[in-house]
Amino acid sequence: MKLQNQDIKIGKTIDELVEGETFSLSETIKNREILLYLGLTNDDNPLYSQYDYIKELGLTKPVVPTALIFGIITSTINKHLPGPGSHVVNVNLNLIEKIFRNDLLSFNFEIIKIDTNKDLVTINIEIMRDEERVADAIVLVQPPLEELTESE
């Protein structure tokens, strides 16, 4: 089967990826993103938005919902490494420290394993705030499938 629309951008197939390949980006999760998340999910956890509650806990800023960190990870995989057409099949996300609104985070992605028999790549992600590791993740991804060519 050939793609009909040649304008569709497809990411790297499993044969185009190499162990040790990396991608990095920096993100700041601002109030707008948190409010959009809260509105879309109807999540009313006071840890994300209630300043009186946050102050009682001894915190100075709202905590970023874990789902937003997960969203940055999957979005980056789907946009960049391996790219469009990728399918995340498993995620193990470990939050080491609380991540706060307006923290500048560095996301460092590295392909640590390629399994051509199962068409899966394992990506390690390290999330840093300044020099402090605040989270990490291991993600299994099925890269875009190779375009099938018509034999006739």
Side-chain angles (χ1 to χ4, degrees):
M1 176 174 93
K2 272 195 148 200
L3 290 175
Q4 298 297 315
N5 184 347
Q6 296 303 317
D7 293 334
I8 296 174
K9 181 184 177 220
I10 300 298
K12 292 181 178 181
T13 64
I14 200 160
D15 294 332
E16 297 171 311
L17 296 166
V18 293
E19 287 183 12
E21 188 170 350
T22 62
F23 183 84
S24 297
L25 79 145
S26 295
E27 288 280 337
T28 302
I29 301 172
K30 298 188 178 189
N31 192 44
R32 177 182 182 273
E33 286 85 11
I34 293 174
L35 291 175
L36 284 169
Y37 165 80
L38 296 175
L40 286 171
T41 63
N42 203 24
D43 187 341
D44 61 358
N45 186 339
L47 194 57
Y48 305 147
S49 61
Q50 303 284 328
Y51 281 92
D52 290 340
Y53 178 76
I54 293 162
K55 285 179 184 176
E56 285 182 29
L57 297 176
L59 303 174
T60 58
K61 295 189 265 188
V63 173
V64 170
T66 306
L68 291 179
I69 301 302
F70 176 74
I72 292 169
I73 290 170
T74 57
S75 174
T76 302
I77 287 168
N78 293 332
K79 288 181 195 174
H80 302 289
L81 186 66
S86 297
H87 180 59
V88 172
V89 297
N90 188 289
V91 177
N92 182 359
L93 176 61
N94 178 34
L95 295 174
I96 301 162
E97 300 289 337
K98 287 180 176 60
I99 297 172
F100 299 101
R101 181 180 299 177
N102 294 321
D103 281 353
L104 176 61
L105 303 173
S106 297
F107 291 77
N108 304 302
F109 294 72
E110 180 181 4
I111 295 176
I112 59 171
K113 183 178 178 188
I114 297 174
D115 185 339
T116 54
N117 292 327
K118 295 181 181 177
D119 287 327
L120 290 174
V121 297
T122 304
I123 301 175
N124 182 66
I125 299 118
E126 184 179 70
I127 304 168
M128 305 289 290
R129 173 179 54 221
D130 299 320
E131 298 298 316
E132 176 186 28
R133 186 170 59 109
V134 294
D136 52 43
I138 297 288
V139 182
L140 291 176
V141 179
Q142 182 183 46
L145 299 174
E146 290 192 43
E147 181 179 297
L148 300 174
T149 55
E150 295 179 21
S151 57
E152 297 174 28

